[in-house]
Amino acid sequence: MVKLQKQKMKTSNRSVDVPKRHLLVTVIIVNMLMTTSSSRASLSRSIRPLLRRTPKSLLSPKRCPKSPICPLWSSSFSLCLQKLRKSTSSSPLTPTAISPLYCSASLSAPSMDATAASARDEGLESNPLLQDFEFPPFDAVEAKHVRPGIRALLKKLENDLEELESTVEPSWPRLVEPLEKIVDQLTVIWGMVNHLKAVKDTPELRAAIEEVQPEKVAFQLRLGQSKPIYNAFKAIQESLDWQSLSEARKRIVESQIKEAILNGVALEDDKRELFNKIEQELEKLSQKFGENVLDATKKFEKLVTDKREIEGLPATALGLAAQTAASKGHEKATAENGPWIITLDGPSFISVMQHARNRALREEVYRAYVSRASSGDLDNTPIIDQILKLRLEKAKLLNYNNYAEVSMATKMATVDKAEELLDKLRSASWNAAVQDMEDLKSFSKSQGAIEANDLSHWDINFWSERLRESKYDINEEELRPYFSLPKVMDGLFNLAKMLFGIDIEPADGLAPVWNKDVRFYCVKDSSGSPIAYFYFDPYSRPSEKRGGAWMDEVVSRSRVLSRNVTSARLPVAHMVCNQTPPVGEKPSLMTFREVETVFHEFGHALQHMLTRQDEGLVSGIRGIEWDAVELPSQFMENWCYHRDTLMGIAKHYETHENLPEDVYLKLLAARTFRAGSLSLRQLRFASLDLELHTKYVPGGSESIYDVDRRVSQTTQVIPPLPEDRFLCSFSHIFAGGYAAGYYSYKWAEVLSADAFSAFEDAGLDNTKAVQETGSKFRETILALGGGKAPLEVFVEFRGREPSPEPLLRHNGLLPAVTA
């Protein structure tokens, strides 16, 4: 969701055998990207993910998945991870050796003496949310702390805001610095609570958050609509000192003025009251949407006692299904003899879709998956209708034609340019996707499949895996032993050291964690000094943890919030995945797709942690336009196909043998397998998102499902099932930050592929050249944060504006074009 919701699993968009006339149009993408240069450079967005959500600035912080929560595949795609073994460091980290973090939200901090005294009077002095801490006390926060803690915080922030408004001046020390402190307090403390809800959900925590959330939103609105603050920012912009401000400070001023307008600062009386009611209701609806998806996913369980029913499932899947059964009361369950429980959680669902020979089982599980949260008490249909209605009403209040225009006001693209990109990619992908389906039919027929002439949705993944195994002699399950989690993480950290000159060391025990399997790491520069920290929560916990994968900030880098005058406060991030937990005595063994996902989320974390921007409102991932924020994450995925990187990771966990060279070459060849189909799938989601937020009329003649079926006519070779309700679990746009912004993945894919091509141009086998290019990437893409327009940052790194040529080449399309 920055939290998406990496969740963020990305599907590849590579295709083959596309007719020349369909591919040539794709080259037009470059013209589209070039013509938006000026508009991109002038827009700014305060985001979290991957950021936070559609237009809301840091004045109204909200946590949401950084990595996409892609329905049907990536949203529930989980990585197979095992608890990392404790490792020792040559230079053990101790609290005294760590540059302290300063959480200004802590009520016992020096600037909060009065509030702290009040807290003691009310018996709040022991509330972990209100303590002064170096790292958040994730292990100590309970549901009972939320109501009193958040209310005490909000009371304190109200007083701070009133004081700021009464003393505000159009200067950095009297406007931006006190504003950043207020924003940071709410961001850090509410972020802790919301994060725990995502990874350690309980009915009590839900109820507590639901009760105080309206009060939190009310404060956000009060802050975002402050006319004294808004007028002070305008005064700075109009002052004689404007030209002398740094580029980062100009971006902050321009962004806050724009965001204030989008937050309704210009609305008066009845219109402002209506706007605020809409915001409160949207917050509540989004929260409920996500809860319904989680509950609906948990609700489905299929107990299997006959092993013939699950024939084809690999040993890892059988072990997980038995482990699930054991946790549900079947204490004697074993992988060999069962019983087994199939769920809709990622590892279980994907295994069934790809490997179960029982077609009836695949159909049952698929139908359950695409109809999640679409009936009974968990039905998200009315919630979606109300969300779309309120978003349109909000857009009209702000004098926009539709909600997509509101969203695009703070992005690089415009509605027209985003639609143009999607249309060009669709044209380039369609024939390849049709050929993909013909190939599946032919192959399944050659295997004697009775369904060969009538392949349905629950057959696609199964026969795709069989075709890939046949075509490339690659079996993902057989590759798992070569991708153990500890080795993958070691390889990832070695790559980061080579590219960016950083060392990553275990720091377990330094910071409290919310689950025993969470790891904590320290990032050090070449001198050995800490520059950042991050948590890594790898495993699926369907009873309490949201699906998908994401990265989010815990605290950001900031000069103002430092505890000393010599250095900035250091950034802290968390990476969350939903991977298969350890099964029996085996270590965590990952599929290649799961390896890509970890690299993806780590790319987001790197942009947050390696920032050199000291202005807290635009440091790290803050302030970066949403459609550019996927650049570092998608960029990191490319290294999974880099020979030295992959061979450094892929070692058999038992024999320690390297991945055979011929297998590596097959993985490389398989990179574009079914690229047309995978591209269309993402284009369906992106096109439907824009359609619902531009042309759809809530309460009109078309339902949301009618719109989906219409969009699917040009984005799906096989029409969706009549009962397909994937929209009811499309958390990206209804519970995350991607409303009218899902196209961002494709937009940023052009940027990320071109960025990686700089390393290809330098020579991937030339270590010195790669390191020099990596250093340049760090000093631009990763270091500048939101303090510089993303197009300008890209040009500073690449030396020119972006081109779609590298993306076409990586997707297997360029050879057809040049031919």
Side-chain angles (χ1 to χ4, degrees), residues 706-765:
D706 294 332
V707 176
D708 184 20
R709 282 187 285 271
R710 175 162 52 79
V711 169
S712 295
Q713 290 176 0
T714 58
T715 56
Q716 278 200 252
V717 177
I718 298 181
L721 298 176
E723 64 269 35
D724 187 320
R725 295 291 184 268
F726 100 89
L727 275 170
C728 288
S729 59
F730 199 176
S731 296
H732 264 79
I733 68 172
F734 295 119
Y738 285 84
Y742 199 89
Y743 78 91
S744 298
Y745 287 109
K746 287 299 179 186
W747 190 278
E749 200 171 359
V750 171
L751 304 177
S752 63
D754 197 353
F756 185 75
S757 73
F759 291 82
E760 295 174 320
D761 293 345
L764 291 174
D765 294 328

Side-chain angles (χ1 to χ4, degrees), residues 338-467:
W340 307 269
I341 287 183
I342 304 298
T343 72
L344 298 183
D345 194 45
S348 180
F349 171 75
I350 294 298
S351 292
V352 170
M353 289 297 100
Q354 291 183 335
H355 301 293
R357 294 174 186 162
N358 183 346
R359 193 184 186 213
L361 175 64
R362 298 200 307 266
E363 178 179 357
E364 179 183 357
V365 173
Y366 179 85
R367 288 182 182 276
Y369 192 84
V370 298
S371 61
R372 285 179 302 160
S374 65
S375 62
D377 294 340
L378 301 178
D379 190 357
N380 271 338
T381 305
I383 292 179
I384 294 174
D385 287 335
Q386 187 66 2
I387 286 175
L388 293 173
K389 175 178 177 293
L390 291 174
R391 284 176 178 169
L392 180 59
E393 193 171 352
K394 172 181 173 179
K396 298 291 187 181
L397 282 173
L398 296 173
N399 292 320
Y400 288 93
N401 293 315
N402 52 61
Y403 186 76
E405 291 182 358
V406 177
S407 174
M408 299 294 184
T410 52
K411 292 183 172 66
M412 293 175 69
T414 63
V415 174
D416 290 343
K417 293 305 178 183
E419 290 178 338
E420 183 180 347
L421 171 62
L422 297 180
D423 185 60
K424 298 301 186 254
L425 291 177
R426 190 205 66 78
S427 297
S429 304
W430 179 262
N431 281 13
V434 171
Q435 186 60 51
D436 288 343
M437 184 56 63
E438 291 302 315
D439 292 344
L440 278 192
K441 289 179 180 178
S442 298
F443 177 75
S444 59
K445 183 177 294 186
S446 73
Q447 302 301 304
I450 58 175
E451 67 266 25
N453 293 320
D454 187 29
L455 292 180
S456 194
H457 298 279
W458 45 86
D459 301 315
I460 305 303
N461 282 335
F462 177 81
W463 286 110
S464 293
E465 284 303 299
R466 306 291 82 74
L467 176 57

Side-chain angles (χ1 to χ4, degrees), residues 455-677:
L455 292 180
S456 194
H457 298 279
W458 45 86
D459 301 315
I460 305 303
N461 282 335
F462 177 81
W463 286 110
S464 293
E465 284 303 299
R466 306 291 82 74
L467 176 57
R468 182 167 63 167
E469 292 167 0
S470 172
K471 188 173 183 178
Y472 302 103
D473 193 24
I474 292 178
N475 182 305
E476 280 206 343
E477 289 300 317
E478 293 177 0
L479 289 180
R480 281 185 188 268
Y482 289 97
F483 297 116
S484 65
L485 176 63
K487 194 65 182 175
V488 168
M489 299 307 289
D490 285 345
L492 178 57
F493 296 164
N494 288 336
L495 175 65
K497 179 179 178 64
M498 188 266 289
L499 291 177
F500 310 125
I502 58 175
D503 288 297
I504 301 173
E505 300 179 356
D508 298 301
L510 179 64
V513 295
W514 52 92
N515 182 277
K516 62 181 179 60
D517 293 326
V518 175
R519 298 297 308 274
F520 190 66
Y521 294 94
C522 175
V523 182
K524 295 183 176 182
D525 62 16
S526 57
S527 70
S529 300
I531 57 174
Y533 305 89
F534 71 96
Y535 303 82
F536 181 37
D537 183 357
Y539 305 141
S540 169
R541 297 188 296 274
S543 64
E544 64 177 11
K545 186 177 178 183
R546 193 182 73 208
W550 65 92
M551 170 270 164
D552 201 357
E553 67 175 64
V554 179
V555 300
S556 65
R557 180 181 175 90
S558 171
R559 170 188 55 83
V560 170
L561 295 171
S562 174
R563 276 182 162 169
N564 59 68
V565 297
T566 60
S567 62
R569 181 182 68 175
L570 301 184
V572 182
H574 58 61
M575 288 171 52
V576 182
C577 294
N578 266 278
Q579 307 166 187
T580 307
V583 176
E585 298 300 319
K586 282 189 176 182
S588 173
L589 304 175
M590 305 167 67
T591 67
F592 184 68
R593 288 194 184 98
E594 292 166 349
V595 173
E596 288 181 299
T597 299
V598 171
F599 273 60
H600 179 104
E601 298 308 331
F602 190 64
H604 284 310
L606 285 172
Q607 190 171 39
H608 177 67
M609 297 188 296
L610 299 190
T611 184
R612 295 191 189 277
Q613 179 58 255
D614 288 341
E615 296 290 347
L617 294 180
V618 288
S619 71
I621 56 178
R622 290 184 175 186
I624 300 176
E625 281 75 356
W626 197 296
D627 39 10
V629 80
E630 289 291 339
L631 193 169
S633 56
Q634 294 178 149
F635 163 82
M636 286 300 295
E637 290 182 39
N638 288 284
W639 292 100
C640 295
Y641 295 91
H642 178 231
R643 186 188 180 283
D644 290 348
T645 299
L646 184 65
M647 299 304 267
I649 287 174
K651 295 185 183 297
H652 198 284
Y653 79 102
E654 288 180 318
T655 66
H656 306 295
E657 294 177 352
N658 291 330
L659 184 75
E661 181 70 21
D662 64 320
V663 176
Y664 164 69
L665 294 175
K666 291 171 183 175
L667 278 174
L668 208 59
R671 187 176 185 180
T672 58
F673 179 63
R674 290 182 55 79
S677 299

Side-chain angles (χ1 to χ4, degrees), residues 99 168 220 375 518 705 724 768:
S99 298
V168 67
Q220 288 177 279
S375 62
V518 175
Y705 305 118
D724 187 320
K768 182 179 179 181

Side-chain angles (χ1 to χ4, degrees), residues 92-309:
L93 295 171
T94 63
T96 57
I98 297 302
S99 298
L101 300 165
Y102 176 50
C103 173
S104 63
S106 141
L107 292 188
S108 60
S111 63
M112 302 182 181
D113 292 340
T115 308
S118 175
R120 286 192 296 272
D121 291 342
E122 299 171 18
L124 295 176
E125 65 276 3
S126 62
N127 190 313
L129 292 174
L130 308 181
Q131 305 305 305
D132 186 17
F133 51 74
E134 292 189 2
F135 298 103
F138 285 117
D139 60 335
V141 176
E142 300 177 21
K144 66 182 181 181
H145 300 127
V146 172
R147 292 179 182 88
I150 295 299
R151 283 174 174 148
L153 172 67
L154 291 175
K155 181 179 180 181
K156 192 269 175 189
L157 295 181
E158 285 280 1
N159 293 334
D160 288 351
L161 178 55
E162 290 177 3
E163 181 179 354
L164 172 59
E165 289 179 324
S166 65
T167 61
V168 67
E169 295 177 4
S171 68
W172 221 255
R174 301 299 295 272
L175 169 61
V176 184
E177 292 182 3
L179 176 62
E180 181 183 339
K181 292 177 181 178
I182 292 173
V183 169
D184 191 80
Q185 292 172 51
L186 183 59
T187 301
V188 172
I189 301 304
W190 184 260
M192 287 172 55
V193 171
N194 214 38
H195 172 67
L196 287 172
K197 182 179 181 297
V199 297
K200 200 173 181 179
D201 185 43
T202 65
E204 294 77 16
L205 183 58
R206 278 192 193 183
I209 292 176
E210 183 177 346
E211 185 174 322
V212 297
Q213 182 171 274
E215 300 165 44
K216 186 269 297 187
V217 176
F219 176 75
Q220 288 177 279
L221 291 168
R222 163 88 168 79
L223 181 61
Q225 295 170 355
S226 170
K227 287 194 174 181
I229 293 176
Y230 171 68
N231 290 333
F233 273 116
K234 289 186 66 178
I236 289 179
Q237 190 178 44
E238 297 165 0
S239 71
L240 296 176
D241 296 329
W242 173 250
Q243 293 303 326
S244 65
L245 291 183
S246 67
E247 187 170 7
R249 290 192 170 188
K250 286 181 179 178
R251 288 264 293 176
I252 290 173
V253 173
E254 292 169 344
S255 174
Q256 296 307 323
I257 291 173
K258 182 186 292 290
E259 296 286 3
I261 294 173
L262 294 175
N263 282 329
V265 72
L267 299 177
E268 299 292 343
D269 304 327
D270 292 347
K271 286 187 176 181
R272 177 182 288 199
E273 183 178 352
L274 177 57
F275 181 92
N276 291 349
K277 287 182 178 178
I278 289 173
E279 288 291 86
Q280 285 279 11
E281 188 63 18
L282 283 173
E283 187 94 0
K284 185 188 306 180
L285 291 169
S286 292
Q287 192 95 341
K288 183 61 176 174
F289 184 98
E291 291 173 356
N292 284 351
V293 174
L294 176 61
D295 291 345
T297 302
K298 292 192 297 184
K299 188 175 181 181
F300 178 88
E301 291 180 3
K302 181 175 179 61
L303 179 65
V304 178
T305 56
D306 187 345
K307 194 169 187 177
R308 290 173 296 182
E309 291 187 37

